[in-house]
Amino acid sequence: MYIGKTENSDLAMLVAGLLAFVAVFLLWEAVGIRRASERARIGADKEDAVAKVLSTLPGSVYNNLVLKEGSDIDHVYLGRVFVAVETKTAKGRVDYENHQLLLNGVPANGNPVGQLYKQLRLLRKATGVMPHGVVCMTNIDRTIVIDDGKVTVCPLRELRKVIVALSDSGLDNEGLEAVRGVLDVKSTD
């Protein structure tokens, strides 16, 4: 009788180690997927909250408007003013330095101001009118106006007040209807 290591025991140890590695990897991935799913749910909840605030204003609201493949605009409000709103889930102190939005002293994830400017250009190209821009960072400490008044960054609690305070878009009824016509077509594409 031989007692000791065999090729079968080496193979069994290798398979057991490989299975343990796969199990740890799958668990790690599952936790990451759960976290990403939770972040997506929270983001969707905040977008719903912004849409609810916008719906209290007289005018039209377009949510998740796609003007170009791979680029959607969280919200567009068209009433006395024409506004694109980018929603971000964030909390803390907001600042703007050297053309960069800072959240708690570090650059905000995803460059929301740059993202909004891209959306504003797409809207201007589609409608012929440059809208106001708002980044709604849901739980930040204050409202700031940046880039010579072109963009306002505000918390959700101040969104309605910010939009009401924006200067008139300068569109007469005919202009409003023309922009609305473009947005209605784009929202059904």
Side-chain angles (χ1 to χ4, degrees):
M1 173 172 182
Y2 175 76
I3 300 178
K5 233 173 151 179
T6 67
E7 282 185 28
N8 287 342
S9 65
D10 287 344
L11 182 59
M13 291 295 286
L14 180 64
V15 168
L18 185 59
L19 288 173
F21 174 77
V22 168
V24 167
F25 176 78
L26 291 175
L27 180 61
W28 181 266
E29 286 294 308
V31 167
I33 290 169
R34 184 179 55 81
R35 285 183 183 149
S37 175
E38 179 67 14
R39 283 191 305 271
R41 185 192 61 75
I42 290 169
D45 289 349
K46 298 302 181 183
E47 285 192 16
D48 289 346
V50 167
K52 186 175 179 180
V53 168
L54 294 174
S55 72
T56 67
L57 297 165
S60 302
V61 178
Y62 302 86
N63 299 304
N64 300 313
L65 183 67
V66 177
L67 291 179
K68 182 180 169 189
E69 187 67 34
S71 179
D72 77 311
I73 302 170
D74 291 342
H75 313 280
V76 174
Y77 169 73
L78 181 62
R80 182 187 59 77
V81 295
F82 179 28
V83 184
V85 181
E86 176 62 27
T87 304
K88 295 296 181 192
T89 302
K91 69 179 191 178
R93 177 157 180 81
V94 66
D95 292 294
Y96 191 71
E97 296 175 7
N98 300 320
H99 303 289
Q100 193 161 33
L101 191 63
L102 302 176
L103 184 61
N104 300 316
V106 298
N109 285 338
N111 187 11
V113 174
Q115 189 177 356
L116 180 65
Y117 273 124
K118 179 180 176 188
Q119 296 165 359
L120 295 175
R121 286 189 301 273
L122 287 171
L123 280 168
R124 183 182 61 206
K125 184 176 180 183
T127 66
V129 179
M130 184 62 141
H132 293 282
V134 174
V135 176
C136 182
M137 299 182 83
T138 55
N139 292 308
I140 57 174
D141 65 328
R142 63 192 175 124
T143 294
I144 60 173
V145 179
I146 59 176
D147 291 344
D148 298 323
K150 295 176 187 167
V151 172
T152 302
V153 180
C154 70
L156 180 60
R157 69 182 175 278
E158 294 181 9
L159 178 62
R160 188 176 205 291
K161 180 174 77 172
V162 163
I163 290 178
V164 168
L166 289 171
S167 61
D168 195 301
S169 293
L171 295 171
D172 59 14
N173 284 340
E174 188 177 306
L176 281 170
E177 288 309 312
V179 170
R180 187 173 282 115
V182 171
L183 296 176
D184 285 343
V185 168
K186 295 294 184 182
S187 68
T188 60
D189 284 351

